[in-house]
Amino acid sequence: MNRNCLSYWFPKLRDAGLPVPDTRIFKTDVSLIYLCDGKTPDGFEAFIAELEAAAKEIGLPCFLRTGQFADKWNWRNSCFLTDTDLLTRHVAGLVEASECADMMGLPHNVWVVRKLIPTLPLFHAFRGRMPITREFRFFVRDGVIEHQQPYW
């Protein structure tokens, strides 16, 4: 299992009792890379139906990402889902961005739908108008915080 994937580390946070947003994790065998060529891969409709059901259950707007990437810089067209009619477009964009994010592309076989955490942005940035807030990262080992730092 890839330790960088949300499907690896998120359950550890949740199971440790830390407050986390309502989150649904999906694994798929659908060959989503075909979306980059404008083709609809076999099994895509069922995959989209799963994501759509989760988005409706969690509530819109919600946060959509792969296990390793959210393309937050393109916020309005990637991870910020306001309407399930846009789901196919957001998935295709995240697949393309994942392919471009690394020399060999980032995996996109794990997908996540999360409740959007309400924030009061200080400002918006990047081409997708991503809301920038005060955010911190904590690094924990064996239940002890080893380091904390501002994120943005």
Side-chain angles (χ1 to χ4, degrees):
M1 180 174 278
N2 188 322
R3 293 171 60 112
N4 292 322
C5 187
L6 188 138
S7 63
Y8 172 80
W9 56 261
F10 178 80
K12 294 179 182 304
L13 296 176
R14 181 196 60 220
D15 295 347
L18 296 169
V20 294
D22 192 6
T23 301
R24 305 289 188 281
I25 301 172
F26 301 88
K27 294 182 182 174
T28 184
D29 293 328
V30 175
S31 298
L32 297 172
I33 188 67
Y34 291 111
L35 294 171
C36 293
D37 291 331
K39 298 176 182 171
T40 302
D42 291 340
F44 184 68
E45 292 82 9
F47 169 67
I48 288 295
E50 280 186 296
L51 295 179
E52 181 176 355
K56 288 179 177 178
E57 183 180 333
I58 285 175
L60 294 169
C62 64
F63 193 82
L64 175 71
R65 57 168 293 160
T66 71
Q68 295 193 34
F69 194 61
D71 193 25
K72 289 190 281 186
W73 304 273
N74 197 18
W75 179 263
R76 289 182 294 186
N77 301 308
S78 62
C79 58
F80 182 58
L81 184 65
T82 59
D83 185 337
T84 56
D85 288 342
L86 301 171
L87 189 54
T88 296
R89 182 183 315 166
H90 283 244
V91 167
L94 279 163
V95 168
E96 182 178 16
S98 294
E99 288 296 319
C100 295
D102 186 61
M103 181 70 82
M104 300 300 289
L106 293 174
H108 37 75
N109 62 320
V110 174
W111 286 79
V112 180
V113 178
R114 303 180 88 172
K115 182 171 181 61
L116 191 66
I117 299 170
T119 62
L120 294 173
L122 300 172
F123 60 95
H124 293 82
F126 310 114
R127 69 181 182 268
R129 303 274 308 141
M130 181 179 106
I132 304 297
T133 64
R134 283 188 70 179
E135 187 174 340
F136 295 89
R137 293 287 163 110
F138 292 85
F139 299 85
V140 178
R141 186 184 321 266
D142 299 323
V144 177
I145 297 174
E146 290 187 346
H147 178 73
Q148 64 183 17
Q149 68 185 45
Y151 185 59
W152 287 104

